[in-house]
Each structure stands twice: as structure tokens, then as C-alpha cells.
């Protein structure tokens, strides 16, 4: 995966205590939206290096295993 790649959330994964499948209405971790990787590398949260801009206009950062390439 690289910048510009289209992705969806891997709802079977989790970051820390945030298990994605537990909250289908989470706007920052959307289940049914497509997003685009806008940045690789995250100085604020190095453990989540991939920053995604979701089609709802919100951004969030993830580990590679949290995302599925479209």
C-alpha cells in the first residue's frame, strides 16, 4: 500500500482496545466507506503509520493490517 491507494477498513482487526466491529456507527472508523491513503508516516502516532481520508471527510491513522486494498 502506498499514498493514493483506495482502502476499506478491515473490521475484523483492532487497534489497542478499539475493536472495529463493535461499533458499526463509528464515523472515524467507518465500516461501509471507501477511503484513500493520504500519508505514510505519522510522527504523532508512529505505531499507526497510515493516514486515511475517508469519503465522509474524516481522517484517521491505522496500522497496515487494519486496511484492505480496494
Amino acid at each position: 500500500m502506498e499514498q493514493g491507494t483506495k482502502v476499506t477498513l478491515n473490521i475484523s482487526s483492532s487497534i489497542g482496545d478499539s475493536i472495529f466491529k463493535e461499533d458499526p456507527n463509528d464515523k472515524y472508523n467507518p465500516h461501509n466507506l471507501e477511503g484513500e491513503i493520504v500519508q505514510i508516516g505519522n510522527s504523532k502516532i508512529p505505531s499507526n503509520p497510515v493516514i486515511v481520508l475517508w469519503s465522509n471527510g474524516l481522517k484517521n491513522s491505522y496500522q497496515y493490517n487494519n486496511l484492505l486494498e480496494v
Side-chain angles (χ1 to χ4, degrees), residues 17-41:
D17 293 336
S18 179
I19 300 169
F20 299 129
K21 65 183 172 185
E22 290 183 351
D23 187 358
N25 300 311
D26 184 347
K27 294 177 186 177
Y28 287 91
N29 300 303
H31 284 205
N32 298 316
L33 295 182
E34 186 175 291
E36 181 178 338
I37 295 175
V38 293
Q39 183 177 327
I40 303 290

Side-chain angles (χ1 to χ4, degrees), residues 3-67:
Q3 191 168 332
T5 302
K6 301 289 185 188
V7 295
T8 58
L9 184 66
N10 178 359
I11 61 168
S12 297
S13 65
S14 64
I15 295 176
D17 293 336
S18 179
I19 300 169
F20 299 129
K21 65 183 172 185
E22 290 183 351
D23 187 358
N25 300 311
D26 184 347
K27 294 177 186 177
Y28 287 91
N29 300 303
H31 284 205
N32 298 316
L33 295 182
E34 186 175 291
E36 181 178 338
I37 295 175
V38 293
Q39 183 177 327
I40 303 290
N42 184 353
S43 59
K44 291 182 181 178
I45 309 173
S47 61
N48 295 346
V50 183
I51 298 177
V52 174
L53 174 62
W54 295 107
S55 59
N56 65 3
L58 299 174
K59 287 183 187 176
N60 207 350
S61 61
Y62 300 92
Q63 300 163 356
Y64 285 99
N65 67 319
N66 300 134
L67 302 169

